[in-house]
Amino acid sequence: MQYNIVGQTMPAVEVVLNAGESMYTQSGGMAWMNDGIEMSTNARGGIAKGIGRMFSGESFFMANYTARRDGAMIAFASTVPGEIVPVDLTQGPGLICQKGSFLCATQGVNMNVTFTKKFSAGLFGGEGFILQETSGAGMLFLEIDGDKIVKNLAPGEVLKVDTGNVVAFEKTVSYEIETVKGFANIFLGGEGLFLTKLTGPGAVILQTQNFNDFAGRIARMIPSKG
């Protein structure tokens, strides 16, 4: 397979497949394709994995697209302004991804539900206590809200991030939720109760936009009835 990321504000990834090669995405993730692609839909991994995907922010059913001839093309588009990040899972230790960051992948890539080490950390951390762990080999494409920022943490180096700005991090990075200290900081600082604490070694992918916060600001501007 070959891919090309097109567009700027609302990018898409165009993938050219040879006969028999296949991609999958959540329901509704395909943007355009030519007539050399065949679609099928299933729960990918069974009911239990489908339910787990729902908890992690993805759809229960996954759409599979298989090329029936060489040179067949299909495109998957981002849902908000930002970037699309290709990740080759044959390189590196693999990733832990936040819910909603998955765009599409080749069939050799698996996205499995995983839990934070501390239940309370995930439950109150602002992004839910279920994350997605990658396994297998192949190409994975992540959706970034806003611009992508990559931080390479040294062993023991700590990075504290608003939970909504974390996209993914390598499995070598430890993850926990830290409570913001100080009454005034909690209630007047505007950052909420918790920060994500990431400790190296390993790479961390961040996004400059927290879309949930952005949507919340828009919602507050919508006039209410009466």
Side-chain angles (χ1 to χ4, degrees), residues 6-166:
V6 297
Q8 296 180 353
T9 304
M10 297 282 289
V13 56
E14 286 188 335
V15 182
V16 178
L17 303 172
N18 291 323
E21 292 183 329
S22 181
M23 300 282 294
Y24 73 95
T25 185
Q26 60 181 326
S27 297
M30 189 276 297
W32 59 84
M33 62 182 178
N34 61 25
D35 60 1
I37 300 288
E38 181 177 279
M39 176 184 174
S40 64
T41 304
N42 56 41
R44 187 173 175 83
I47 294 176
K49 285 194 174 182
I51 293 174
R53 283 194 299 271
M54 292 177 64
F55 279 110
S56 64
E58 310 295 351
S59 60
F60 181 91
F61 292 102
M62 300 300 257
N64 300 271
Y65 298 91
T66 303
R68 294 309 177 197
R69 61 173 176 81
D70 291 344
M73 183 275 295
I74 184 169
F76 306 92
S78 59
T79 55
V80 299
E83 298 185 32
I84 294 174
V85 177
V87 180
D88 185 356
L89 291 180
T90 60
Q91 309 291 329
L95 294 176
I96 303 293
C97 306
Q98 73 146 319
K99 62 181 182 180
S101 63
F102 171 77
L103 179 62
C104 61
T106 57
Q107 292 292 341
V109 174
N110 296 310
M111 302 292 291
N112 303 307
V113 172
T114 186
F115 294 83
T116 59
K117 293 180 180 179
K118 295 181 180 179
F119 179 85
S120 60
L123 185 62
F124 300 109
E127 291 301 313
F129 64 95
I130 299 177
L131 300 168
Q132 293 179 304
E133 180 179 6
T134 63
S135 62
M139 289 300 301
L140 165 69
F141 295 89
L142 300 178
E143 183 175 354
I144 304 290
D145 299 346
D147 294 321
K148 175 191 68 175
I149 305 294
V150 177
K151 299 290 186 180
N152 292 297
L153 302 182
E157 183 179 359
V158 173
L159 183 68
K160 298 180 181 181
V161 190
D162 186 289
T163 54
N165 293 98
V166 178

